[in-house]
Amino acid sequence: MITALIMQLLDAYCIVIFIYVILSWFPHETGIMGQIYSALGVLCDWYLDLFRRFIPPIGGMVDISPIAALLVLQLVGRLIVIIL
């Protein structure tokens, strides 16, 4: 039961990161999109910044750190399930 809850929380966080990345492709300076993007930034940036330190943007524009962050998050979730 605890493992299912942990996996659901990790999956929900992965979805939040995915939505944050998708929203970064669109203009979001003002309005509801800006507020949503800012709120998701509070939730996601602390985790994504761990990976941005080690993975620089490709060509100065393409940030692949969210891919690594999602892979690590899923891997850690699977390891927790195996351990528990």
Side-chain angles (χ1 to χ4, degrees), residues 1-75:
M1 183 164 127
I2 298 236
T3 57
L5 177 64
I6 291 171
M7 288 309 299
Q8 287 177 350
L9 290 173
L10 290 176
D11 288 343
Y13 192 62
C14 285
I15 291 169
V16 169
I17 291 172
F18 183 75
I19 292 169
Y20 179 65
V21 169
I22 297 298
L23 284 178
S24 72
W25 298 348
F26 300 100
H28 53 270
E29 285 78 33
T30 60
I32 189 76
M33 291 294 282
Q35 293 174 351
I36 292 171
Y37 185 76
S38 296
L40 292 177
V42 169
L43 294 173
C44 298
D45 278 337
W46 69 270
Y47 179 65
L48 293 175
D49 285 344
L50 297 172
F51 296 91
R52 288 180 180 141
R53 289 185 203 157
F54 302 106
I55 304 171
I58 297 174
M61 295 288 295
V62 180
D63 184 13
I64 62 167
S65 61
I67 296 170
L70 289 172
L71 288 173
V72 168
L73 194 61
Q74 288 296 313
L75 179 65

Side-chain angles (χ1 to χ4, degrees), residues 3 75-84:
T3 57
L75 179 65
V76 167
R78 303 303 177 228
L79 287 174
I80 289 171
V81 167
I82 291 171
I83 291 171
L84 294 178

